[in-house]
Amino acid sequence: MQILIRAASFQDRIKLFNGNVLSPSKVVVYPVDSQDVSDTVLFCTRHSLSLCVKSGGYGIAGWAVNGDVVIDMSRINGISVEPPGESGTFTSLKDESWTTFRPPETSVDDKAPQKLGKRRREDDDDNDATNLRDYSSASLVSHKFLGGEYEVPSFDSPSPAKVRRVATHAEMSRPVPGLAPPDVSVKSFAPSPSPSSLETSRSSSSNPGSSSAPATLPPPSIVQTTSQSISNSASSSSGDPFGYLNTGPTNFPPPLPAHLVQTLPPGLQASQSSSSPSNVAFARLRPELQALTAEPEHAYVYVSVGAGKRQKEIDIHMAKSPLPTKGTGDSRIPYHIPTSAHPVGSTTLITGGFGFLSRMYGLSIDNLVEVEMVLANGDIVVVNEKDHPDLFWAVRGAGPSFGIAVRYKAIAYPVPVVYAGNIIYRFNRATTPSLIKHFRDCVKSAPRQLYANVLLTAGPQGKYSLVVIQLCYLGMRQQGGQEWKDMICSWDGEPCLLDDVSEKSFLHQQDSVAQVLRGKAGRQWYIRSALVSSLPDDIIARTVNQFAGSPVGCTWLFELAGGAVAAPNPLSQERGVLPKRTESCFPNDQREAQWTIVALHQWDMGDDDPLCVEAGEEWIKGTLKPVRTGGSFPSFISRHESPEHIEATFGENWERLVKLKKASSFSYDPTNVFCNTFWPLNKAGEVVGPETHEPPSPTAGSEFLVEHETSKA
């Protein structure tokens, strides 16, 4: 175990993604196994020191660095994959060797402190697979567009790069210069591009550093066409869906799958001939392309992972370690755990974890089968459906308040390819309500394979705001994804600025939300979320009007929920193909919500505009109040959250959680050792405000008071 006490690099090691957190911590401890964690817990208890736990460092609230002692889990970052045994059995964590999970230089017999290297955030730059802070791989086309590398049409109205969005209703309704008027279909805006124009687009998209001047954004219909063309297939650092299996760099764009080659004009089909360099790579990847139609060897596998492993690191490992398919050949398929999009730490595995796979396979807590934990009394336990079942029920949703998770075992599913990406429109206060209503009506009967969201967000710097629709269909384009995309794109109220939906690896799609947010570490962050039962027309209209006056750093997100979140996958309940889901502390009535709503705000340190907070509070607690089901997914409980919201999140299960924490015959944390979490009760069981278990802000103007929701009209 390694210990760092106020050394020169100490401040670097207690930094979080949210810069608006002032940590009072004095010591950072780096355990390498559960015994180290247990020893630390007992030491803190013996010396009346408060403790906190840091996994990925992405938490906004600051609980991870609010104790006297920070237990940094980053060195427990191993991972292993196990196919299911007969009848779906697995090796328990209590029987798995710690060799896989300790750092390479630490043995079972020798855990002497090693010299601390540089902090993990700096280590990110040394990753040989993907820079963990680079999200451009989701799509290079979207990355360029959102980064302002394309010249997008602009208004004569004031720039929204100011603190507020200030365009008037008349200005927002003005036709965009150079684009079709609102009543013209996007698809008929311009003639089909010639093969030569597509080839030009391809070469410029695949070489972002070829010119310092901004590229000119093609008319909408050309952008749509190129999203089905090789330009968009090369839109990420591994353009084709299986680029993660490439063994080395190439100097030519990634190739198109055969079915996409057939959709190209004759001139471009010829460019994919056997003599072209691209086709050489295409031939080399044929076994992986076969995996698109091959049957997986396993319907699911079990993944054991250390608590210091961040979600992107897990996804990278799984993408680089695909498993064989049935039959002959050497085709392989990657498997992935259903959880949140990047960037998140491992704690999302016990706090909800809603993401691109959730409508098909459920939340991350639904796919957690075992957790190794250290309890408040220092005991090391492995909890599952049979061992400590009451704690297993509580951990899946409220885990950080009941102990320190050290290792997880979760279920991962085969995901050979997704048809996914962004459809981007200009935010127009006059027409955006129509677009959101159209999107809502299109996806209300969507299959479980389809994830969909719509975001209201800032555009490129100095440009107007945007409406971004994100789709992720689990399968190939012709397996159903194209039909759903075409239905959504049939809206003709505004020209489509960018249609960037294509087939890609799930690993790259996991970066897509972060790519749109363009979040920066060290800024002030604010997050609020709610689960809602419906999206009526009047609430959509009020939302758009409120967003039009919000600060530029605000992003408002509507995610389609339901599917396996509300009802388990039929394969698990009826046919026994998948593991059966067991009850957790996240209540069933919350699972029935149709949408999860999130306000994600970021702004620079020193900018104390109160609207950065007030806009989100008014939208979530005011505008959405008539349709809220109560709380949110536990993973969205954030900084300065009211106790009423936390209690509402667990609904009818709250009282049982309180008893398990303190008042039962066998309580798991009677003295509230794990107080530096969202838990809103003190040692005596009294309701306390968030300021009692969150660190302060470095600037007084950035603090904001939390009103109890029960006191609001």
Side-chain angles (χ1 to χ4, degrees):
M1 180 164 59
Q2 300 174 337
I3 301 174
L4 185 69
I5 305 176
R6 289 293 183 182
S9 60
F10 184 84
Q11 289 301 320
D12 281 345
R13 295 175 183 275
I14 57 173
K15 279 185 178 179
L16 299 179
F17 197 74
N18 183 12
N20 195 27
V21 170
L22 186 62
S23 172
S25 302
K26 304 172 180 64
V27 178
V28 179
V29 175
Y30 292 84
V32 297
D33 58 21
S34 53
Q35 188 59 56
D36 281 353
V37 176
S38 174
D39 292 344
T40 304
V41 170
L42 293 174
F43 177 87
C44 290
T45 302
R46 190 161 51 245
H47 295 280
S48 300
L49 298 172
S50 64
L51 60 83
C52 55
V53 182
K54 183 172 181 279
S55 295
Y58 298 112
I60 300 302
W63 304 310
V65 293
N66 193 44
D68 297 316
V69 177
V70 177
I71 303 178
D72 189 316
M73 307 296 287
S74 60
R75 295 183 64 75
I76 305 177
N77 61 359
I79 184 171
S80 65
V81 180
E82 174 190 9
E86 189 175 348
S87 302
T89 57
F90 57 85
T91 303
S92 174
L93 289 170
K94 67 180 70 173
D95 298 320
E96 281 200 47
S97 170
W98 262 97
T99 304
T100 303
F101 298 91
R102 288 192 180 94
E105 71 273 16
T106 308
S107 67
V108 176
D109 299 322
D110 180 15
K111 295 194 298 175
Q114 305 292 321
K115 181 180 179 181
L116 280 174
K118 54 185 178 179
R119 62 189 179 96
R120 273 189 55 179
R121 284 192 56 160
E122 294 170 348
D123 290 340
D124 293 353
D125 295 326
D126 299 328
N127 270 289
D128 59 353
T130 303
N131 187 312
L132 299 187
R133 288 172 283 163
D134 178 13
Y135 306 106
S136 61
S137 63
S139 167
L140 187 58
V141 172
S142 290
H143 177 70
K144 285 187 171 185
F145 180 90
L146 295 167
E149 294 186 49
Y150 288 125
E151 286 185 357
V152 295
S154 59
F155 299 115
D156 295 331
S157 56
S159 166
K162 305 294 183 184
V163 175
R164 309 263 172 87
R165 294 180 177 86
V166 294
T168 66
H169 182 91
E171 289 166 339
M172 293 300 293
S173 303
R174 184 183 304 165
V176 184
L179 294 184
D183 59 347
V184 176
S185 170
V186 173
K187 293 182 179 179
S188 62
F189 176 74
S192 299
S194 65
S196 60
S197 68
L198 288 180
E199 288 173 333
T200 301
S201 175
R202 170 185 176 179
S203 62
S204 62
S205 294
S206 60
N207 185 10
S210 59
S211 174
S212 59
T216 300
L217 183 68
S221 62
I222 294 181
V223 177
Q224 279 197 320
T225 304
T226 56
S227 74
Q228 299 298 329
S229 75
I230 196 162
S231 169
N232 202 36
S233 283
S235 64
S236 72
S237 59
S238 63
D240 77 88
F242 305 98
Y244 53 84
L245 293 173
N246 279 335
T247 56
T250 61
N251 294 321
F252 44 83
L256 274 179
H259 69 274
L260 289 184
V261 174
Q262 295 171 2
T263 67
L264 297 177
L268 277 186
Q269 288 188 32
S271 72
Q272 298 293 310
S273 66
S274 59
S275 61
S276 70
S278 295
N279 206 59
V280 176
F282 183 76
R284 186 174 69 241
L285 294 176
R286 284 189 189 279
E288 285 67 50
L289 294 174
Q290 294 170 6
L292 293 175
T293 55
E295 184 179 357
E297 180 70 27
H298 311 286
Y300 60 93
V301 296
Y302 294 105
V303 181
S304 301
V305 59
K309 201 80 166 175
R310 290 167 287 191
Q311 182 55 42
K312 187 164 184 176
E313 294 173 312
I314 297 173
D315 284 330
I316 290 172
H317 177 92
M318 299 303 290
K320 293 175 66 178
S321 309
L323 299 178
T325 59
K326 290 184 177 179
T328 59
D330 56 355
S331 60
R332 291 174 171 265
I333 292 178
Y335 288 63
H336 290 278
I337 301 171
T339 186
S340 307
H342 307 154
V344 292
S346 66
T347 306
T348 189
L349 290 171
I350 52 174
T351 55
F354 179 82
F356 296 117
L357 300 181
S358 295
R359 283 180 40 79
M360 186 67 179
Y361 298 115
L363 303 171
S364 60
I365 57 176
D366 301 329
N367 292 280
L368 194 64
V369 297
E370 201 168 69
V371 185
E372 181 178 9
M373 303 185 70
V374 175
L375 304 182
N377 62 0
D379 284 355
I380 302 170
V381 297
V382 173
V383 300
N384 52 45
E385 187 178 3
K386 295 181 179 179
D387 298 325
H388 303 280
D390 53 349
L391 181 56
F392 188 54
W393 173 87
V395 161
R396 288 171 298 145
S401 300
F402 284 80
I404 300 175
V406 182
R407 290 189 293 178
Y408 307 93
K409 186 178 284 287
I411 301 170
Y413 301 91
V415 190
V417 66
V418 294
Y419 181 63
N422 302 320
I423 305 167
I424 301 179
Y425 295 89
R426 172 174 64 101
F427 174 82
N428 183 328
R429 183 160 45 184
T431 59
T432 295
S434 171
L435 173 57
I436 297 177
K437 294 172 192 175
H438 171 79
F439 169 80
R440 175 201 63 193
D441 295 340
C442 284
V443 302
K444 65 182 178 182
S445 59
R448 294 181 177 216
Q449 292 93 327
L450 181 68
Y451 166 96
N453 75 40
V454 59
L455 302 99
L456 308 180
T457 190
Q461 186 174 5
K463 304 296 182 180
Y464 44 79
S465 297
L466 301 173
V467 182
V468 181
I469 295 173
Q470 292 192 317
L471 303 179
C472 181
Y473 184 84
L474 305 184
M476 299 173 70
R477 175 174 62 91
Q478 70 267 36
Q479 291 174 325
Q482 181 72 50
E483 296 175 8
W484 289 97
K485 194 206 79 167
D486 288 347
M487 186 186 304
I488 292 171
C489 288
S490 66
W491 183 75
D492 58 2
E494 286 275 348
C496 178
L497 298 178
L498 183 68
D499 177 346
D500 188 24
V501 182
S502 64
E503 286 160 327
K504 62 182 69 172
S505 73
F506 181 74
L507 169 64
H508 289 150
Q509 178 60 17
Q510 280 282 73
D511 279 342
S512 62
V513 175
Q515 184 178 70
V516 172
L517 287 177
R518 288 153 286 165
K520 294 182 180 179
R523 283 182 172 177
Q524 301 186 65
W525 279 83
Y526 162 95
I527 294 178
R528 283 292 180 270
S529 181
L531 291 163
V532 302
S533 57
S534 61
L535 282 179
D537 291 356
D538 62 323
I539 285 182
I540 291 175
R542 289 176 61 192
T543 293
V544 170
N545 279 330
Q546 285 179 268
F547 183 79
S550 67
V552 170
C554 299
T555 295
W556 292 1
L557 168 67
F558 305 79
E559 288 184 287
L560 180 65
V565 175
N569 193 307
L571 291 176
S572 65
Q573 298 299 100
E574 299 171 10
R575 294 162 51 188
V577 176
L578 301 178
K580 186 176 181 180
R581 188 169 88 192
T582 58
E583 290 286 324
S584 69
C585 68
F586 186 61
N588 290 329
D589 58 348
Q590 297 280 55
R591 291 176 176 272
E592 297 295 330
Q594 293 185 14
W595 300 88
T596 174
I597 308 297
V598 190
L600 302 115
H601 299 185
Q602 56 176 312
W603 63 100
D604 292 333
M605 297 297 296
D607 183 356
D608 297 323
D609 182 359
L611 195 59
C612 293
V613 169
E614 293 170 359
E617 294 286 302
E618 176 57 31
W619 180 48
I620 295 290
K621 296 181 179 180
T623 302
L624 297 175
K625 184 177 180 179
V627 292
R628 288 179 61 180
T629 63
S632 63
F633 289 128
S635 53
F636 281 122
I637 296 175
S638 190
R639 186 164 174 80
H640 302 323
E641 201 76 76
S642 72
E644 289 79 13
H645 175 85
I646 297 168
E647 181 176 341
T649 292
F650 299 99
E652 61 186 9
N653 293 332
W654 176 247
E655 290 302 321
R656 182 181 172 188
L657 279 173
V658 172
K659 290 179 180 179
L660 284 173
K661 173 87 167 173
K662 179 178 176 59
S664 66
S665 57
F666 183 79
S667 55
Y668 288 101
D669 187 13
T671 59
N672 206 24
V673 170
F674 305 115
C675 60
N676 289 313
T677 66
F678 60 69
W679 195 255
L681 307 180
N682 62 16
K683 184 166 57 175
E686 302 164 332
V687 175
V688 293
E691 69 280 356
T692 65
H693 52 103
E694 291 178 4
S697 298
T699 54
S702 298
E703 292 284 8
F704 58 94
L705 298 177
V706 178
E707 294 184 70
H708 288 197
E709 293 178 14
T710 53
S711 67
K712 294 180 72 69

